Structure formats: C-alpha cells, structure tokens
Amino acid sequence: MHLARYGRILLRFWKNALIREMSFRAHFIVQVGGELLWIAMMLIFIKVIFRNTGNVRGWTEGQYLFLMGTHMIVTGIFETFFFSNCWRVSHLVRTGDLDFVLVRPASAQFLLSFERIDYTSLTKLPVAVALCLYAASSEGRAITLNHVLLFIPLIAAGVIMLYSLLFMFAVTSVWLIRQTSVNHLWFYAVNLARYPAEIYQRFAGGALWFGLVFVVPILLVANLPANVMMRTFEPTMVAYFFGASLVLLVLSTFVLRLALRSYRSASS
Amino acid sequence: MRKYWVVFRVALSERLVYRADFFLSTFLRFIPIVTTILLWRAVFDGAGTDRVGDLEYEQMVGYYLFVMIARTFGSMPQLASGISNDIREGGLRKYLLQPIDYLGYYVALRIAHKFVFFVMAAGPYALVFWVCRDFLPGWPALGTFALTVVTLVFAFLLGFCINAIIGLLGFWFLEVASFMHLFMTVQYFLSGHMFPLSLLPDGIRSIVTLMPFAYETYYPTMILLQRLETAEIVRVLFIQAGWIIALGTIARWMWSRGLRRYAAFGG
C-alpha cells in the first residue's frame, strides 16, 4: 500500500520530467551529441595510451575499456536519477524553498532524491553497455547469465555509494553556505573514479589511495565491478563494497535527519 | 561603536570566506592534473621506457602544468553564453545606446578579469610550480621569455575571438547555450588540453594542428615547456596572429550582419 503510493509518485515525477525534457528537443539532441562526442574522445585517449604501453598498472586495453564502460554505466545512472536532485537540495536550502518539500505528506529524503530525472544521461547507458560487451569479447570473455546477475548488484551498490556521498554533501549546505558546490564535487569525483585504482597507490605513500578506498570509497564505484568482471574476484573486497554502500546509505538518512533539525527557513 | 565593529567583522569574514573558497578552488583545479599525471606515470612504467612519443616523463608532467598557464590566458568562461544571452534577452540594447564598441567593451572586461585572477592566483600557482620545480625546465633566456609572453597574449586574443564567434551565432540560432557544452568538449580535445597533440597518430595530428584550437593551448604550452626552437616559435606566433586577424574579422562581420537582423525583429 505504502509502496504503491510511492510508486505512483515516482511515475508522476518521471512523466513530468519527460514533458519538460521534450519541450526543449533541440537542447536534448545537442546534449546527447555532446555525450557521444565525449565518449569518442575518451576512446581516442585510451587508444593513444595503449599505442605506447601494453598495460596500465596491470590493466590491459580490453580491461581498461571495460572499466570505462562500467564507469559510464555507474555515473550515467547516478546522473540520470540523482545528480540534479542533489544539486537541487543545496539550492532549496539556500532559497528557503525546502519548506515546500518538507510540508508534503511523504518521506523528505524520497522527495528530495527522486523529483527530477535527467533523460539525457540515460542515453549514455546503451553505449556504455555496448562498450562493456565489446571490451569483454576483445578479452575473450564470454558473458554468462551469472556474470550479469553479479554485475547488476555491483552496479547498484556503486550507484548507492555515489548517491549517499553526494546527497550527504548536498545536505551539509544547511550548516555551511559555500560556493564550492555539488557541481564541483561531482566533477572531481567522476574524474578520480575514472582510472584504475592502482595508479593512486604510488602517490603520497598510498595515503590518497587508502583514503579514496576506505574513507570516502569513491574509487571503488567503477573499479570494483570492473575488477570482479574482468580480473579477479576478491570476496573480502566485494563484501566490503556491499557493506560500505549500505552503511553510507543509512548514514545519509541519519545526516538528513540531523540537518533538518538545525534547518531554519531562509525567508522571514 | 560596537555595531560598527560587528559590521566590520562581518564584512571582513565575508571577504575571507570567499578568499578561502577561491584558494580552495584554485588548488582543486589541480586534482584532474594529478590524476592524469598518475595515469601517465603508470603508462611510462608499463612501457618500460623513459619516453612516450616525443616527451620524457618530466616533460609530460611539465606539459600538464603549463597547460594550466596557457588556459588561464586562453579560457573565456561565460563569454560565449554571455554574448548569446545579450542577444536573446535584448540586453544588447544597453550597449547599443552607449558610445562604445560592444566587442571592444568585452575585450576590456576580459583583460580586467584576467588581471584580477592573476593577482589572486599568483600565490597558489607559484606554490604548486615551486613544489613541482624538478619537473620543469629552468627559466628561459630573455628573448625566449619575451616571445613566450607574446604567445600567451595571442592565446588570450585567439580564445576571445573563438568564443565571441560562438556567442555571436546567437543572432542566428536561439539554442547556442546548449551548443556550448558540445563546443567545450571539442575544444578540450582539439586544443591539446586533454593530452599533448604530438601523441596523436600522424594523419589525425596533421588535421588537428591545422585548426586554430591548437594555437590556443598546445603550441603556447610547448613554447612554455621550451620544446620549440626560436624559428619554430616565430612561426607559431605568425600563425597565431593570422588566426586572430581572420577570426577577428569574421567576428566583426558577424556582428555587423547580426545587428541588422537584431534591429529587424527587435523593433
């Protein structure tokens, strides 16, 4: 009953977003074009790298391509469902419009996390999946049903991790008014997570790598799923990955509750 | 007296908040460079050579650091979207009534922006470059230094012309704002911001280096890196100047043509 109601709200959100998106069709097409162009350029960059070396810290070209595909899937899903919502949270806090969300008879976190959806980013996904399939076949790996059944929860955990981290960051704007916005943080997070995690081990005595894996596990979101699918299955790391995403999700609801307690409307 | 003290303190902390934010964002700017450099370190190690393409590892690090310098001159955030907004929303009227040249006004504005940025960023940049001094070539001879300054000024003007043209397209197309994203992506690659253009396969490279974008970032960066002979530097300067004249003329022409259209339906 409860679930059905939230399902209905969700459908309504997605429909509204679609209507909004379709009223700027030229914009939509140009955005999709931009995404495809970006992917093409990243592929050229990878080609340039592997013209010069056979592996990057043990990742072969096919494995690297798979990592890129995984990264695109995880970030694409996040951007589709959560990015504009996280961005909106800090905006709502600043303008005081958060009130209009809080008075509604539904979970605040639900309303804050799902009202917007960005269909442009969704178009990245088929390309990303195709890239993964190509990369796997170039490595001579057959994709079985078992692989898919493992890959989907791994991707989900990665998205949940990103969502929880960015959502918490957005919520902290209740306490800290700042300019370094969700946009910036997202840009740097995407940038860090794009590469094989091993490249960070040589920097600052591995402190950066440790921090980005065990404190703010942003490095894992694409690396771990890709690693499991194409390279090695490390049970402890996989368990840690799922555990960490769950802990972060719970933490995000906790942080939101804490923040709302000290939220005072900006108006009057 | 006490209330003025409060006002003073609030104003001061306000400035300091923004200052801190500026320093933070200036340092954050270097994060993508760090990741890219770590990636290249892995590539050099994987290849087992001390040279990738025409660059040694130190030069690769230097390349990305100097790209930051070249970009501080050539990048024009919000210029194109500002111009197309003026056109679309009628803000142009304000400038037409004043006895100033619209594009000239924006050049002056941008010089001021750059000046403030240089003053504010000098500290953080100096610190980063000092920390990374082992990766960089020493100070160049005075003559080369002068030519380097010229190429950076040209990079500024070239960046201005390119972005102004994109913005002026707003006279003909309403959707320039969404086109911007696409343009930035292309520019990131074609200007050599993403990686040194010399690493591209010969065929693609010869096409890419024919375009003006390479003269906005790649060549100025190579000059900063002291990878070009004096004769080559002079050649680059001439090509830069040629592009500035050509694109500047196009921008002027678009402006006068566009203004006629603007007047026609702005009525």
Side-chain angles (χ1 to χ4, degrees), chain B residues 2 5 31 43 47 66-67 70 89 93 110 128 136 143 148-149 179 183 185 216 221 238 245 248 252:
Chain B
R2 230 180 69 205
W5 173 239
I31 287 186
V43 172
F66 281 135
V67 159
E89 285 158 20
R93 224 162 293 164
R110 286 288 150 171
V128 170
L136 304 171
T148 310
V149 172
F179 178 73
F183 168 70
T185 309
E216 211 189 335
T221 304
F238 270 107
I245 293 167
R252 279 255 157 260

Side-chain angles (χ1 to χ4, degrees), chain A residues 27 37 51 53 57 179-180 191, chain B residues 18 21 35 45-46 178 199:
Chain A
H27 177 82
L37 209 62
R51 274 179 84 208
T53 179
R57 294 270 179 265
Q179 280 181 304
T180 314
N191 200 293
Chain B
Y18 279 83
D21 205 75
T35 58
D45 288 348
S178 44
L199 298 180

Side-chain angles (χ1 to χ4, degrees), chain A residues 24 26-27 29-31 33-35 37-38 41-42 44-45 48-49 51-57 64 177-180 184 187-188 191-192 195-196 199-200 202-203 208, chain B residues 17-18 21 24-25 28-32 34-36 38-43 45-47 49 52-53 64 175 178-179 181-182 185-186 188-189 194-195 199-202:
Chain A
F24 301 99
H27 177 82
I29 291 165
V30 171
Q31 289 287 315
E35 291 290 354
L37 209 62
W38 174 248
M41 283 168 22
M42 288 301 294
I44 293 176
F45 188 34
V48 164
I49 284 173
R51 274 179 84 208
N52 290 296
T53 179
N55 74 87
V56 173
R57 294 270 179 265
Y64 196 123
I177 309 284
R178 65 173 115 52
Q179 280 181 304
T180 314
H184 286 101
F187 174 77
Y188 295 121
N191 200 293
L192 286 167
Y195 306 106
I199 68 169
Y200 299 98
R202 297 287 196 85
F203 187 69
L208 181 68
Chain B
V17 164
Y18 279 83
D21 205 75
L24 183 69
S25 64
L28 283 178
R29 234 173 252 261
F30 287 94
I31 287 186
V34 172
T35 58
T36 312
L38 289 172
L39 180 68
W40 280 113
R41 180 70 259 174
V43 172
D45 288 348
T49 55
V52 165
Y64 283 99
E175 286 286 338
S178 44
F179 178 73
H181 175 66
L182 218 138
T185 309
V186 174
Y188 180 65
F189 175 72
M194 197 176 190
F195 59 85
L199 298 180
L200 284 169
D202 289 341

Side-chain angles (χ1 to χ4, degrees), chain B residues 107-123:
Chain B
V107 173
L109 193 73
R110 286 288 150 171
I111 292 174
H113 282 192
K114 293 291 177 201
F115 185 74
V116 171
F117 182 81
F118 291 145
V119 171
M120 296 278 283

Side-chain angles (χ1 to χ4, degrees), chain A residues 65-122:
Chain A
L65 284 175
F66 194 92
L67 173 65
M68 181 184 156
T70 310
H71 182 262
M72 278 164 54
I73 293 175
V74 174
T75 57
I77 294 175
F78 176 84
E79 281 167 0
T80 304
F81 293 99
F82 301 118
F83 177 73
S84 42
N85 287 301
C86 286
W87 181 84
R88 207 171 69 105
V89 169
S90 51
H91 178 73
L92 288 174
V93 169
R94 207 168 41 239
T95 55
D97 286 338
L98 191 61
D99 302 4
F100 296 113
V101 177
L102 297 181
V103 295
R104 287 188 199 157
S107 148
Q109 183 153 10
F110 173 81
L111 292 174
L112 288 175
S113 306
F114 287 106
E115 181 157 348
R116 298 283 178 84
I117 177 169
D118 174 14
Y119 288 96
T120 323
S121 304
L122 204 58

